[in-house]
Amino acid sequence: MKLQFKHQKFQADAAKAVCDAFAGQPYLTPSYMMDKGYVENEQVSMGEAERFTGFGNSKLISELNDGAILENINKIQRSNQIEPSRQLEGRYNLTVEMETGVGKTYTYIKTMYELNKRYGWSKFIIVVPSVAIREGVYKSFQITEEHFAEEYGKKIRYFIYNSAQLTEIDRFASDSAINVMVINSQAFNARGKDARRIYMKLDEFRSRKPIDILAKTNPILIIDEPQSVEGAATKERLKEFNPLFTLRYSATHKKDSVYNMIYRMDAMEAYNKKLVKKIAVKGISVTGSTATEGYVYLESINLSKGNPTATIEFDVKGAKGTRKITRIAGERYNLYPNSGELAEYKDGYIVSRIDGRDSSVEFVNGIKLFAGDVIGAVSEEQLRRIQIRETILSHIQRERQLFYKDIKVLSLFFIDEVARYKQYDDAGQPYNGLYADMFEEEYRQVIENLQTEMGDGDVYLKYLDKIAAEETHAGYFSIDKKSHRMVDSKLGDRRERTSDDADAYDLIMKNKERLLDRREPVRFIFSHSALREGWDNPNVFQICTLKQSGSDVRKRQEVGRGLRLSVNQNGERMDTNLLGEDVHNVNVLTVVANESYDSFAKGLQTELAEAVADRPRIVTMELFKNKVIKDAEGAEQVVDIELAQIIFEGLITSGYVKKGILTDKYYEDKKTGSIKIADEAADCKESIIAILDSIYDSRAMQPENARKNNVELKLDKSKLGLPEFQKLWGNINAKSVYVVEFDQDELINKAIEALNRHLRISKIFFKVESGAMTDIQSREQLQEGTAFFKEESSVYKTATASNAAVKYDLVGKVVAETGLTRKAVVNILRGIEPVVFSQFANNPEEFIIKAGQIINEQKATTIIQHITYNKLDSVYDTTVFTEPTLKGQLGVNAMAANKHLYDHILYDSANERTFAENLDTSGEVAVYVKLPKGFFINTPVGKYNPDWAIAFYEGKVKHIYFVAETKGSMSSLQLRDIEKAKIHCASEHFRAISTDSVVYDVIDSYAALLDRVMS
């Protein structure tokens, strides 16, 4: 893969700001440098001869004095809405702030080209604080080389300073083309016994000091991350390079080291302009640890057209002891019997409420958990397993969403010890550490569940089937040069906690493009937490830190490796121009945190607020005073007090500002492009909006809770009024009443017969196995678990679940499950064989549930032949489309739509998603809707909610109104009797209420739909 680069205005603006600071400087060819010393290999006395050494940057002309440069800088600052500097801070220091992930290195490489193009300057030295950033900078030069050569018609010669390869410095000096040296601050920042070779007269460098030759070139210094480079001593050392001027680039400048800021693209602006990924957080909160609380982890709330369910992990008693299982639970789900009757769940662990609005589950005992909460005794190992599982789940969710956009998804795990990922036996052979084993176990389980959910034939599943669990993860760590083993990275900077191990970064950098290619199976990366800075990959969509977060760990540092916008398989950046949709629908970075969402979000927002502390917090008249605004033609004017007052008062009158705070009306009008500005400044609307955008708004910086529903469906009222929809709605909105007459004795007899034949309740028992260890022949024998030999196995029954302590209203429970009278249920229970009824004592809850299901199946088959529907005068009105609010998760159960009655669709399966996509792109379909739960048909076996109502364009198909039920399989053998009954009832209902222009049918695809309506 070859990464593609685009010209972006903000990067060009940043380069222009630097160049404009020296407006008035002419284009000059590089100046000659002369060095006294040797002539034709014969030493002569100093002053007797000079020889050509190379080229240097031409100095500033005398007319460009300090006053002229300060005036240039102030003009740039006013234009970029930055507080003008009162004086020059050094000769000359310019600061550029650029948020992580927007292309800081690209920007200063472009700036070098622009400075060369406008002024002829060609010598640049980039100073970096660490090996990590050095390697990242070097990689950026490599991958942008062709891109810039196409634009400027020349290439930069770049190299990394190495004290053992001093000929590179001679080439740097003697070459008149653009030359760049990248150097670590550690290479020159030392004195005394630790003095660096850069200051020494070296025989191999003709008794010259490298620093002297570099200084003669009068280079332009670029400080990358100055807050990590510039200590007091380093600032003095930098002067020895004799720079023409110094440029400082960072996302996190220190407040006391911001010199003449000329351009800023801070975290808030980058986020609002969607130049970086949206941040979402999956928090994991341990809310209890007492022995009286059973272990429960609420993984997620699952929304569907029926009632929401919850994915819950809890302990279960097994043959070999207690283990953890994950189950999909609905209301009334009882953890006690489902755990094998573990005592910890006996006290009220029955689900009483599942709320999709706040993603919570409440139990009968009053305990309420939100998605991501875990209670009970939780070991660190279990917490890490949950984090790994959640990262895999987020990865699969994002991967399913982006698969058909040709975007490869990567996930990144940070760990502190290599041994937790990879270990080595005595022979030096590698084997999995704890986290690698956990990953493979959880990954296989997630994929197995996905295969069950999606079924065969899906292209994405076929992609997954080709990737083995052990092949899809890899470790990027330092490599010991003797043993060739992965080892813990050495901390080159203990304060920043970053590593100076070049080989670790080398491996990551060399694989950057390969990792982006879908043909490469590696999708999950394990790396040392000390490698947090200096590298990133645009397609990292999940970051998980498998370590205890300490006070030294900055949230922005954790998320920084994944903020860059993603690329597709052609290496194209997934921004607005390419996507044609909201960038943040695709580019979402999910952080799987080992703390609650609230805690992580608060910490991140605090750091972001610190980073933009100098932004104004409220709108006042002073906000506009002395700012430069431009009209549509580009003409500039400075806002005086009178105009500032007019603009401010106009914003209040328009309802955009209340008590100094920007209102929701402002953001709504901005989104729709309908902002109104006072007439006196209306031509400068865009400039005024840019000034208002400088206001710090904590709402805009709030990271999304990845566990919550991130889509709220909005009704498109214009579609509601379409003639096609009005005709459709008028033909299907009538209500009905059913009459059913059947022989109750027939139903009772059928139910008794079915219960005797099918009701089987599992018994709870313990399995006890014994064995002994054989002679151990090898380490592999222990690893494979073959060192024990099983000798004996016995099974023991448990005490029955039905005892004096628990009273069950069996008849009442079955009545509630079936809707039959108590008399009918009593007759059924009395009629079944004693051996069948005796199973009740083994597991009462299971007996009630299964008996109710069997009776309902028989009830459905009995009534289906005897039902009649009659049309009522009452109808459904369109409020069913507005109550309640519909929510879903993009890429999970929601997708954007064009012809749908809402702006999104909620789907229940991959088949429904495909069906909706076909409806949305069909030339025959005028409008359609996934019918909300409020629209239903009453049946004897429960309410029935059809799936789809579809209006076709008249003349294109025979029938213009269609009500559809979509099923993944059309085989009647795979439809339960209750489903068959509801479908039959729906057919009778629509036959009773509508004319021949409405068709109701069950289909499995859009092709089947067209075939049906065309016939």
Side-chain angles (χ1 to χ4, degrees):
M1 176 190 291
K2 183 179 180 181
L3 293 173
Q4 308 295 316
F5 295 91
K6 300 177 182 178
H7 301 292
Q8 299 192 82
K9 185 179 183 301
F10 76 92
Q11 292 169 331
D13 288 346
K16 183 177 183 297
V18 172
C19 293
D20 286 351
F22 304 99
Q25 172 78 6
Y27 180 91
L28 297 172
T29 57
S31 60
Y32 288 106
M33 300 188 322
M34 305 304 293
D35 185 24
K36 298 175 180 180
Y38 291 83
V39 177
E40 296 179 354
N41 296 323
E42 293 183 8
Q43 187 174 9
V44 296
S45 62
M46 297 298 290
E48 294 183 13
E50 289 186 328
R51 87 184 205 17
F52 170 72
T53 301
F55 298 93
N57 287 328
S58 298
K59 296 185 182 299
L60 296 172
I61 60 173
S62 58
E63 292 85 353
L64 202 60
N65 55 32
D66 288 1
I69 289 179
L70 180 60
E71 185 178 337
N72 286 343
I73 290 172
N74 287 164
K75 183 178 179 181
I76 296 163
Q77 290 170 327
R78 283 192 294 268
S79 180
N80 289 330
Q81 314 303 338
I82 297 170
E83 183 70 24
S85 301
R86 297 182 179 179
Q87 62 185 24
L88 289 178
E89 293 148 340
R91 295 191 63 195
Y92 298 98
N93 293 293
L94 303 176
T95 297
V96 175
E97 181 176 339
M98 301 207 83
E99 174 62 2
T100 301
V102 301
K104 174 187 62 180
T105 311
Y106 177 101
T107 300
Y108 65 64
I109 294 174
K110 182 177 181 66
T111 302
M112 294 176 196
Y113 274 106
E114 287 293 322
L115 289 170
N116 177 260
K117 179 180 177 181
R118 286 181 61 170
Y119 306 123
W121 293 325
S122 61
K123 306 296 181 183
F124 301 89
I125 295 176
I126 302 173
V127 182
V128 298
S130 66
V131 169
I133 295 175
R134 185 192 75 192
E135 296 300 315
V137 169
Y138 190 78
K139 182 68 176 180
S140 293
F141 273 103
Q142 288 180 316
I143 62 180
T144 60
E145 191 169 35
E146 296 299 327
H147 166 75
F148 282 119
E150 288 178 7
E151 181 179 0
Y152 294 97
K154 59 178 70 175
K155 291 185 179 181
I156 289 177
R157 181 184 167 271
Y158 52 92
F159 69 99
I160 292 175
Y161 169 80
N162 186 331
S163 61
Q165 297 176 356
L166 298 176
T167 55
E168 292 284 3
I169 293 179
D170 269 335
R171 289 183 62 190
F172 175 84
S174 61
D175 187 0
S176 62
I178 309 176
N179 278 259
V180 177
M181 181 178 80
V182 186
I183 185 170
N184 284 67
S185 59
Q186 295 88 341
F188 60 84
N189 191 18
R191 280 291 188 264
K193 65 178 181 179
D194 295 323
R196 305 302 188 188
R197 282 168 57 85
I198 198 169
Y199 299 110
M200 298 178 181
K201 288 185 177 180
L202 302 169
D203 292 340
E204 64 269 36
F205 201 56
R206 302 198 302 278
S207 297
R208 298 173 299 169
K209 297 178 183 178
I211 189 68
D212 290 342
I213 301 303
L214 293 170
K216 283 179 179 293
T217 67
N218 204 21
I220 295 169
L221 280 189
I222 294 176
I223 313 298
D224 195 324
E225 306 294 351
Q227 76 281 359
S228 299
V229 169
E230 293 184 315
T234 309
K235 286 184 179 180
E236 291 302 312
R237 300 287 80 77
L238 288 170
K239 294 177 182 177
E240 299 183 24
F241 284 96
N242 189 32
L244 180 65
F245 56 85
T246 300
L247 305 176
R248 292 177 165 82
Y249 290 81
S250 178
T252 53
H253 292 282
K254 289 182 179 178
K255 291 181 181 179
D256 60 354
S257 298
V258 176
Y259 308 109
N260 302 307
M261 174 85 75
I262 56 169
Y263 188 84
R264 71 181 303 175
M265 174 64 70
D266 63 17
M268 182 173 165
E269 188 172 4
Y271 196 80
N272 289 343
K273 290 187 175 180
K274 300 182 179 179
L275 300 173
V276 293
K277 288 194 184 89
K278 182 179 184 178
I279 301 172
V281 181
K282 263 191 174 182
I284 300 171
S285 177
V286 180
T287 60
S289 59
T290 65
T292 58
E293 289 181 322
Y295 169 84
V296 183
Y297 175 54
L298 178 54
E299 184 177 292
S300 64
I301 301 298
N302 315 304
L303 302 178
S304 67
K305 66 176 182 179
N307 293 325
T309 60
T311 302
I312 300 175
E313 184 179 65
F314 55 95
D315 290 329
V316 64
K317 189 186 299 181
K320 297 181 180 179
T322 301
R323 59 188 176 88
K324 289 175 172 59
I325 61 169
T326 301
R327 292 290 182 264
I328 305 295
E331 291 186 0
R332 294 189 295 169
Y333 189 87
N334 192 338
L335 266 58
Y336 179 60
N338 286 287
S339 69
E341 297 186 346
L342 287 173
E344 61 198 77
Y345 301 118
K346 192 171 184 178
D347 185 17
Y349 277 92
I350 302 169
V351 176
S352 62
R353 179 179 174 80
I354 301 175
D355 195 332
R357 294 170 300 178
D358 64 358
S359 297
S360 69
V361 164
E362 193 166 356
F363 294 97
V364 170
N365 58 17
I367 292 175
K368 184 174 183 178
L369 300 180
F370 296 91
D373 283 354
V374 54
I375 62 172
V378 184
S379 66
E380 182 180 347
E381 181 177 319
Q382 183 58 30
L383 181 59
R384 304 302 169 227
R385 181 177 288 276
I386 291 173
Q387 283 185 273
I388 289 172
R389 181 195 309 150
E390 291 289 0
T391 303
I392 296 169
L393 289 169
S394 288
H395 179 108
I396 296 298
Q397 172 187 331
R398 189 69 54 205
E399 197 169 59
R400 285 176 67 178
Q401 177 196 359
L402 302 183
F403 183 78
Y404 298 100
K405 294 183 184 291
D406 280 337
I407 301 171
K408 183 179 178 182
V409 173
L410 299 173
S411 293
L412 174 62
F413 295 97
F414 279 130
I415 66 176
D416 268 357
E417 297 178 69
V418 172
R420 290 179 178 267
Y421 176 74
K422 189 70 68 180
Q423 297 194 17
Y424 298 86
D425 62 19
D426 294 338
Q429 294 301 308
Y431 63 95
N432 279 350
L434 176 65
Y435 291 159
D437 276 338
M438 282 183 181
F439 171 84
E440 291 179 11
E441 290 164 7
E442 294 296 331
Y443 179 82
R444 290 189 182 100
Q445 184 63 49
V446 169
I447 298 303
E448 183 180 323
N449 292 340
L450 188 67
Q451 289 167 336
T452 302
E453 172 194 338
M454 296 181 68
D456 297 329
D458 188 274
V459 178
Y460 173 59
L461 272 184
K462 290 179 180 177
Y463 165 72
L464 293 182
D465 287 343
K466 296 177 182 178
I467 304 174
E470 58 271 15
E471 292 178 348
T472 203
H473 66 95
Y476 291 85
F477 301 96
S478 302
I479 305 297
D480 181 78
K481 291 177 173 59
K482 293 182 179 179
S483 65
H484 302 292
R485 299 180 182 183
M486 295 178 179
V487 293
D488 291 333
S489 296
K490 299 173 184 176
L491 294 180
D493 187 330
R494 294 191 175 276
R495 180 173 57 86
E496 295 292 333
R497 296 195 63 77
T498 57
S499 171
D500 277 346
D501 286 352
D503 49 3
Y505 297 105
D506 191 49
L507 186 61
I508 291 171
M509 294 303 172
K510 285 184 177 179
N511 283 295
K512 186 169 187 175
E513 291 90 346
R514 197 184 86 191
L515 283 170
L516 290 167
D517 195 316
R518 199 176 274 169
R519 291 171 295 184
E520 165 59 50
V522 173
R523 293 140 67 221
F524 297 86
I525 303 163
F526 286 80
S527 187
H528 200 289
S529 58
L531 309 188
R532 282 191 296 255
E533 292 183 346
W535 74 274
D536 54 23
N537 191 297
N539 285 24
V540 170
F541 283 89
Q542 287 73 227
I543 290 179
C544 176
T545 302
L546 295 172
K547 60 183 285 293
Q548 290 292 345
S549 292
S551 59
D552 62 318
V553 177
R554 304 284 288 176
K555 302 289 188 290
R556 289 185 73 193
Q557 189 180 40
E558 287 190 18
V559 304
R561 300 311 96 212
L563 283 179
R564 197 175 296 277
L565 294 183
S566 60
V567 299
N568 64 13
Q569 290 298 284
N570 295 322
E572 299 168 312
R573 186 170 177 265
M574 294 289 99
D575 56 16
T576 305
N577 294 330
L578 191 65
L579 287 170
E581 61 175 293
D582 188 342
V583 174
H584 284 168
N585 285 346
V586 169
N587 291 283
V588 182
L589 172 67
T590 300
V591 180
V592 181
N594 56 358
E595 57 185 303
S596 72
Y597 163 76
D598 288 338
S599 174
F600 189 95
K602 182 179 179 181
L604 180 60
Q605 284 190 102
T606 298
E607 292 178 22
L608 290 170
E610 291 172 359
V612 295
D614 58 339
R615 278 184 176 269
R617 291 306 200 258
I618 60 173
V619 182
T620 63
M621 185 267 291
E622 294 293 327
L623 178 68
F624 304 100
K625 183 181 173 184
N626 294 327
K627 293 294 196 304
V628 175
I629 57 176
K630 299 179 184 178
D631 62 20
E633 303 299 322
E636 296 183 353
Q637 66 171 311
V638 178
V639 179
D640 58 20
I641 295 176
E642 183 180 353
L643 183 56
Q645 188 71 29
I646 291 170
I647 294 170
F648 176 59
E649 290 176 354
L651 293 171
I652 296 173
T653 303
S654 298
Y656 296 150
V657 175
K658 186 174 183 180
K659 295 182 179 179
I661 305 300
L662 289 171
T663 63
D664 290 339
K665 185 178 188 301
Y666 167 76
Y667 290 108
E668 289 168 6
D669 285 4
K670 180 184 173 185
K671 187 175 182 180
T672 58
S674 56
I675 289 283
K676 295 179 180 178
I677 301 296
D679 292 342
E680 291 84 345
D683 290 343
C684 302
K685 181 168 69 172
E686 293 304 317
S687 289
I688 293 170
I689 291 174
I691 295 172
L692 291 171
D693 285 346
S694 69
I695 295 291
Y696 174 71
D697 180 7
S698 62
R699 294 172 297 179
M701 306 297 288
Q702 171 80 13
E704 178 184 283
N705 189 338
R707 299 181 186 280
K708 291 203 172 183
N709 311 317
N710 58 8
V711 173
E712 183 175 305
L713 273 63
K714 292 182 175 60
L715 181 67
D716 187 338
K717 294 183 179 178
S718 65
K719 291 191 180 73
L720 201 64
L722 287 174
E724 291 88 352
F725 183 79
Q726 289 295 312
K727 290 179 182 179
L728 166 66
W729 187 240
N731 277 275
I732 68 171
N733 68 348
K735 296 182 179 181
S736 66
V737 63
Y738 67 84
V739 178
V740 60
E741 296 179 2
F742 61 90
D743 187 343
Q744 183 165 284
D745 291 338
E746 178 188 352
L747 172 59
I748 292 172
N749 291 334
K750 284 186 175 181
I752 292 171
E753 181 183 352
L755 288 167
N756 286 334
R757 187 167 61 250
H758 299 298
L759 184 59
R760 297 293 180 270
I761 305 302
S762 56
K763 292 182 179 180
I764 300 173
F765 62 88
F766 294 112
K767 185 176 183 181
V768 179
E769 298 178 327
S770 60
M773 184 178 286
T774 61
D775 293 336
I776 301 174
Q777 305 298 325
S778 66
R779 184 186 183 94
E780 287 72 19
Q781 192 177 13
L782 288 172
Q783 294 168 2
E784 295 168 3
T786 58
F788 274 86
F789 176 74
K790 188 190 296 182
E791 295 176 335
E792 187 179 353
S793 176
S794 301
V795 174
Y796 296 90
K797 296 180 181 178
T798 66
T800 60
S802 181
N803 54 50
V806 182
K807 302 295 184 183
Y808 286 92
D809 177 10
L810 175 57
V811 174
K813 292 280 189 181
V814 177
V815 167
E817 292 284 339
T818 63
L820 298 179
T821 64
R822 288 186 69 89
K823 181 179 178 182
V825 170
V826 169
N827 288 335
I828 291 171
L829 295 176
R830 283 177 174 172
I832 61 177
E833 297 174 1
V835 67
V836 175
F837 185 80
S838 67
Q839 295 179 100
F840 173 73
N842 294 333
N843 196 326
E845 288 88 357
E846 186 177 336
F847 184 96
I848 292 165
I849 292 169
K850 286 187 175 180
Q853 290 172 346
I854 292 171
I855 294 170
N856 279 332
E857 295 282 351
Q858 296 307 307
K859 177 183 173 184
T861 58
T862 300
I863 65 172
I864 197 171
Q865 305 300 327
H866 305 279
I867 195 165
T868 302
Y869 276 84
N870 296 304
K871 184 178 180 180
L872 297 174
D873 292 334
S874 61
V875 297
Y876 285 105
D877 60 40
T878 54
T879 57
V880 298
F881 298 112
T882 58
E883 299 174 358
T885 301
L886 301 173
K887 296 180 179 181
Q889 290 180 291
L890 285 171
V892 179
N893 68 337
M895 57 177 271
N898 295 314
K899 295 185 176 182
H900 192 231
L901 202 59
Y902 302 88
D903 59 348
H904 288 79
I905 303 167
L906 298 184
Y907 54 83
D908 302 312
S909 65
N911 184 59
E912 271 200 359
R913 182 183 67 227
T914 302
F915 184 74
E917 288 169 348
N918 288 327
L919 286 176
D920 216 50
T921 56
S922 169
E924 291 81 17
V925 173
V927 63
Y928 68 99
V929 63
K930 180 81 183 297
L931 289 162
K933 288 186 290 184
F935 181 88
F936 60 85
I937 300 165
N938 283 308
T939 82
V941 286
K943 294 177 181 179
Y944 168 68
N945 169 225
D947 280 338
W948 309 91
I950 305 155
F952 295 94
Y953 288 112
E954 292 194 50
K956 290 196 173 185
V957 297
K958 183 178 179 181
H959 298 285
I960 62 169
Y961 316 122
F962 200 95
V963 182
E965 176 76 17
T966 45
K967 294 294 180 187
S969 170
M970 293 300 295
S971 171
S972 61
L973 294 176
Q974 294 186 25
L975 295 177
R976 293 169 55 230
D977 287 339
I978 290 179
E979 286 182 296
K980 293 177 188 175
K982 287 185 176 181
I983 290 169
H984 176 80
C985 290
S987 296
E988 296 299 317
H989 162 82
F990 285 111
R991 186 176 289 115
I993 72 162
S994 62
T995 65
D996 291 340
S997 61
V998 174
V999 176
Y1000 169 80
D1001 207 349
V1002 181
I1003 51 172
D1004 61 354
S1005 66
Y1006 182 69
L1009 170 66
L1010 276 186
D1011 183 63
R1012 180 72 178 84
V1013 298
M1014 291 289 193
S1015 62

